[in-house]
């Protein structure tokens, strides 16, 4: 087995707390433990073919552990992936750049799109390691992705603050959090902040059930409610609309509650604040584990895999098993089960949902 001498690192897709901590872990372990030279490619995958990189060393890796964002920058990689699949010249350009820079391996830090592109690059014969990154926590093959814990912590703190406003003004406040197809942030921040209604893309939503839950609170003498909704929730009346023309989940729900149920409601969208800033201590340590393991895999000559956490242990799974799948919230999730036992409304009739799933 040939010993790796020079590797590259890139970050791609949306930013998330912990990318810099992961870059640091990969590079410092590679340099200190294995004597490997490390290049950091700027702007995602195109940084390779553009030969746009910085040499990473112990000096410029300092102070990255707590830093948000990514020192390497990022870009969406769909166009790059499509070019590799359709254009032989794109593959030749990548091979030429790879050979000129004498790369032995590439570490790709990113979410679902990045892991999909990493799998394509791997299948073309390049030595690739993936590291899963997304606040949405929806990368298949790992129990958790870095950035998720930080995002949930930020969302929980902000929802906690919203409780006092809702109670003071006798209002229902709809809080929209990130999560296009997966409701992990909504579920975890909603449960942690004591939300009364939690709506997830995986379950759908019956507006009548939500209205009934709120009216029940009023009947019990509670004068306000907190609803946490993932941005990817699509209501029945919106299904035929184009995504770009569709009213946001939080705004739509708040408006419907006011107009059709006579409930004083306001919405607030947490937005990009969930993705910014310093990573939590949990995420910092997770990044250290994942990044260090990636460098060890390279030293051991193991490629075509994504580093992952399974049953609280660092391991790895083939990129080929990850690239076309999402990890979604199941109706049987233990937090949902406990929430239902505590009378949290999830906007769906679970008996009907069960029958639908059984079909």
């Amino acid at each position: 087995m040939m010993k790796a001498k020079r590797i590259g690192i890139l970050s791609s897709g949306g930013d998330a707390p912990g990318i810099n901590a992961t870059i640091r872990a990969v590079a410092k372990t590679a340099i200190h433990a294995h004597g490997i030279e490390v290049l950091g490619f700027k702007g995602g995958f195109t940084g390779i073919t553009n030969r746009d990189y910085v040499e990473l060393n112990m000096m410029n890796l300092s102070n990255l552990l707590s830093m948000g964002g990514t020192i390497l920058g990022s870009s969406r990689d769909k166009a790059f992936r499509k070019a590799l699949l359709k254009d032989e010249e794109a593959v030749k350009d990548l091979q030429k750049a790879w050979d000129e820079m004498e790369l032995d391996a590439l570490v790709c830090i990113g979410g679902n799109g990045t892991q999909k592109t990493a799998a394509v690059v791997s299948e073309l014969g390049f030595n690739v390691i993936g590291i899963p990154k997304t606040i949405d926590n929806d990368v298949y093959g790992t129990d958790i992705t870095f950035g998720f814990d930080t995002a949930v912590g930020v969302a929980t703190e902000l929802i906690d603050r919203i409780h006092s406003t809702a109670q003071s003004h006798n209002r229902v406040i709809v809080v929209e959090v990130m999560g296009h197809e997966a409701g992990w942030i909504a579920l975890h921040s909603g449960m942690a902040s004591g939300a009364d209604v939690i709506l997830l893309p995986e379950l759908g939503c019956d507006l009548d059930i939500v209205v009934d839950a709120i009216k029940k609170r009023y009947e019990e003498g509670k004068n306000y409610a907190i609803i946490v909704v993932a941005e990817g929730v699509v209501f029945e009346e919106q299904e035929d609309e184009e995504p770009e023309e569709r009213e946001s989940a939080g705004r739509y729900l708040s408006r419907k509650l006011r107009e059709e149920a006579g409930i004083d409601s306001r919405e607030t969208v947490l937005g990009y604040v969930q993705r910014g800033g310093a990573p939590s201590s949990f995420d910092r340590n997770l990044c250290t584990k994942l990044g260090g393991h990636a460098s060890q895999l390279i030293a051991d000559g193991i490629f075509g895999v994504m580093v992952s956490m399974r049953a609280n242990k660092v391991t790895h799974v083939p990129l080929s098993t990850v690239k076309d799948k999402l990890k979604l919230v199941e109706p049987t999730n233990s937090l949902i089960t406990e929430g239902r036992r505590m009378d949290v409304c999830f906007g769906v009739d679970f008996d009907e949902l069960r029958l639908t799933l059984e079909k």
Side-chain angles (χ1 to χ4, degrees):
M1 182 180 67
M2 183 184 71
K3 182 181 183 299
K5 297 180 180 179
R6 176 183 284 183
I7 66 171
I9 305 175
L10 62 82
S11 55
S12 185
D15 63 307
I19 298 177
N20 286 325
T22 305
I23 293 170
R24 171 185 179 271
V26 172
K28 292 190 78 167
T29 305
I31 295 167
H32 181 72
H34 305 295
I36 299 173
E37 184 180 352
V38 185
L39 306 182
F41 290 106
K42 297 182 179 181
F45 285 91
T46 57
I48 306 172
T49 50
N50 291 337
R51 283 78 163 172
D52 187 6
Y53 64 86
V54 59
E55 293 186 15
L56 299 176
N57 54 56
M58 289 300 193
M59 290 298 294
N60 59 21
L61 291 169
S62 296
N63 302 317
L64 294 187
L65 191 60
S66 61
M67 186 185 297
T70 166
I71 60 168
L72 298 179
S74 186
S75 67
R76 299 296 180 181
D77 49 51
K78 191 173 184 179
F80 183 88
R81 180 173 67 245
K82 284 187 174 181
L84 290 180
L85 292 171
K86 295 182 178 180
D87 187 355
E88 290 185 8
E89 289 302 315
V91 178
K92 290 179 181 178
D93 288 344
L94 177 59
Q95 185 69 66
K96 183 179 179 181
W98 188 282
D99 293 340
E100 285 181 2
M101 291 180 288
E102 298 180 327
L103 291 177
D104 295 310
L106 178 67
V107 177
C108 304
I109 303 170
N112 291 294
T114 301
Q115 302 311 318
K116 193 170 185 176
T117 303
V120 170
V121 175
S122 174
E123 288 162 4
L124 289 170
F126 299 92
N127 292 336
V128 177
I129 302 287
I131 300 182
K133 170 272 315 172
T134 174
I135 66 168
D136 292 337
N137 198 39
D138 61 353
V139 175
Y140 188 84
T142 184
D143 292 343
I144 191 167
T145 57
F146 75 79
F148 173 65
D149 181 77
T150 305
V152 169
V154 170
T156 300
E157 180 182 353
L158 295 175
I159 298 167
D160 283 347
R161 293 174 181 274
I162 288 168
H163 271 271
S164 59
T165 296
Q167 188 172 23
S168 297
H169 295 277
N170 297 339
R171 280 180 182 151
V172 171
I173 295 187
V174 180
V175 184
E176 182 182 299
V177 299
M178 284 186 165
H180 282 292
E181 297 182 72
W184 293 104
I185 295 176
L187 175 60
H188 281 253
S189 65
M191 287 297 294
S193 62
D196 307 293
V197 180
I198 302 171
L199 304 178
L200 314 178
E202 295 91 334
L203 303 183
C205 176
D206 184 328
L207 194 57
D208 290 337
I209 291 177
V210 175
V211 171
D212 288 345
I214 294 171
K215 288 183 175 179
K216 179 183 176 184
R217 280 182 60 81
Y218 289 162
E219 292 169 359
E220 293 172 346
K222 300 168 184 175
N223 63 354
Y224 77 102
I226 299 292
I227 300 176
V228 175
V229 56
E231 63 185 337
V233 170
V234 178
F235 296 90
E236 186 175 350
E237 292 181 8
Q238 297 179 297
E239 290 176 354
D240 295 330
E241 298 174 357
E242 294 297 326
E244 60 272 14
E245 298 175 356
R246 197 177 287 155
E247 193 173 18
S248 73
R251 180 171 296 179
Y252 177 88
L253 177 57
S254 180
R255 180 173 61 80
K256 283 290 185 179
L257 291 175
R258 290 193 304 271
E259 295 177 357
E260 298 188 8
I263 294 173
D264 187 11
S265 175
R266 298 291 187 276
E267 77 280 350
T268 184
V269 179
L270 300 191
Y272 289 111
V273 67
Q274 297 160 86
R275 279 175 27 181
S280 65
S281 58
F282 177 90
D283 273 335
R284 296 180 199 189
N285 289 329
L286 176 59
C287 293
T288 298
K289 293 176 186 178
L290 296 177
H293 189 63
S295 288
Q296 186 61 53
L297 289 173
I298 292 171
D300 293 340
I302 299 172
F303 304 104
V305 298
M306 183 189 77
V307 179
S308 67
M309 290 292 294
R310 305 298 292 268
N312 207 33
K313 292 184 179 180
V314 188
T315 182
H316 51 276
V317 295
L319 281 166
S320 58
T321 65
V322 173
K323 63 178 184 177
D324 292 315
K325 298 178 182 177
L326 286 176
K327 184 185 70 182
L328 302 175
V329 179
E330 298 287 343
T332 53
N333 183 281
S334 59
L335 267 183
I336 292 179
T337 299
E338 292 307 318
R340 293 177 62 193
R341 285 154 53 94
M342 298 166 66
D343 202 28
V344 175
C345 171
F346 289 93
V348 65
D349 184 318
F350 280 90
D351 290 331
E352 290 186 4
L353 180 62
R354 178 178 55 80
L355 293 173
T356 301
L357 293 174
E358 287 176 353
K359 292 179 181 179

